[in-house]
DNA sequence: ATATTTGCAAAGCGTTTGCACGGTT
DNA sequence: AACCGTGCAAACGCTTTGCAAATAT
């Protein structure tokens, strides 16, 4: 069965080898932000005939095609996630390494305002919050995205950055 | 004559070798965000008796002492700047590689609000704006920090990140 | 059939480190 | 004098690459 990313590859006319199919599937099914080593591990579980060099090459190809986005959360290894619709940012739990995605309209606005007052237009930006879980108060018992933004969480393979 | 950073080293009781003195001076005089190779180049100009390994070690030591801050603007090399009073961020001109520093009180507030609504407190954060110079309009002829924040600019040694 | 992709191992890059020597306190 | 910092070169971790064999179109 065709994974979402495999479909994107075909649309773009990429040659679909067994290895690419497997990497595409692993990425399609990943809810987190795996690094190359982790992708290699997951891909190997589905198909022994993959070398880590191919994972590197595939990941680079997919990034050039706009299928994947490379993230650098510090710690020396690049991490990847399928390209999403709109811009979103990451909050990294410094204790667990868990990555929570969020977006915020006000932040978008503010970034453009700041750039504008310096005489620039925003080409791209990088925002990462490193935070520590707050003891939740009594009247804030439910997990729910509060007004003003949305959040989605996903686990990461490993701990926080250096 | 004692550089600002050399004074900080002495305050902290660091052993002041010739090499550290030179690196301290180079850093004190740097208005930009040099990487290790660039620091090594500038230090070597003042004193041949420096190896790049020592620059690496010194820069790490200074960072541990809170004298220096390591930045990662992408591109694989770490870059350094003397620790400043308050938090500030960077806008990188994608065409020239110039780095402009800025701060913004509203942004601080917003970051804490976003973290709070996700149930976190901010430990640290990373914000970088990549932008392109806007053609300046007629009625905006002077360079001046606009209301709401301050900016200071400094050149970098090299171009923008990948 | 032909151009691309793969695996392997070697190389590359920024950074760190073991060791013997040299300098600072 | 004791210790710590240094230079050199080797090692490191992640990533890329040259080459010959394998594969997709």
């Amino acid at each position: 069965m065709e994974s979402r990313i495999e479909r994107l590859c075909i649309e773009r006319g990429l040659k679909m080898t067994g290895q690419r199919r497997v990497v595409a599937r692993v990425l399609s099914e990943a809810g987190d932000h795996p690094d190359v080593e982790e992708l290699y591990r997951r891909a190997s579980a589905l198909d022994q005939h993959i070398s880590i060099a191919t994972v590197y090459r595939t990941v680079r190809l997919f990034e050039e095609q706009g299928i994947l986005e490379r993230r650098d959360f510090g710690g020396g290894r690049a991490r990847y996630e399928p390209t999403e619709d709109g811009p979103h940012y990451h909050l990294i739990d410094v204790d667990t390494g868990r990555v929570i995605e969020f977006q915020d309209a006000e932040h978008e606005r503010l970034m453009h305002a700041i750039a504008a007052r310096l005489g620039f237009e925003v080409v791209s930006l990088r925002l990462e919050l490193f935070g520590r879980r707050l003891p939740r108060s009594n009247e804030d018992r439910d997990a729910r995205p509060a007004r003003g933004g949305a959040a989605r969480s996903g686990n990461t393979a490993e701990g926080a950055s250096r």
Side-chain angles (χ1 to χ4, degrees), chain A residues 12 16 33 47-48 58 88 90 99 114 126 137 139:
Chain A
R12 271 151 245 233
M16 286 318 289
H33 305 72
D47 178 351
Q48 340 275 259
T58 303
H88 64 270
H90 301 91
V99 175
I114 290 174
R126 188 148 94 174
S137 69
E139 56 275 302

Side-chain angles (χ1 to χ4, degrees), chain A residues 17-37:
Chain A
T17 65
Q19 292 88 330
R20 285 186 186 166
R21 233 184 296 274
V22 171
V23 174
R25 180 167 154 206
V26 165
L27 285 164
S28 294
E29 291 171 359
D32 53 356
H33 305 72
D35 59 28
V36 168
E37 204 120 11

Side-chain angles (χ1 to χ4, degrees), chain A residues 52-105:
Chain A
I52 196 162
T54 295
V55 178
Y56 272 107
R57 284 193 266 234
T58 303
V59 129
R60 210 212 293 183
L61 173 71
F62 287 1
E63 196 200 356
E64 287 164 4
Q65 297 290 326
I67 293 171
L68 230 55
E69 276 173 27
R70 185 200 312 228
R71 302 283 173 196
D72 170 16
F73 296 155
R77 329 155 93 81
R79 292 164 60 169
Y80 294 87
E81 67 178 324
T83 298
E84 309 257 318
D85 348 277
H88 64 270
Y89 310 104
H90 301 91
L91 187 160
I92 297 101
D93 185 323
V94 296
D95 294 317
T96 66
R98 163 176 250 140
V99 175
I100 294 160
E101 301 185 351
F102 65 88
Q103 34 181 141
D104 189 280

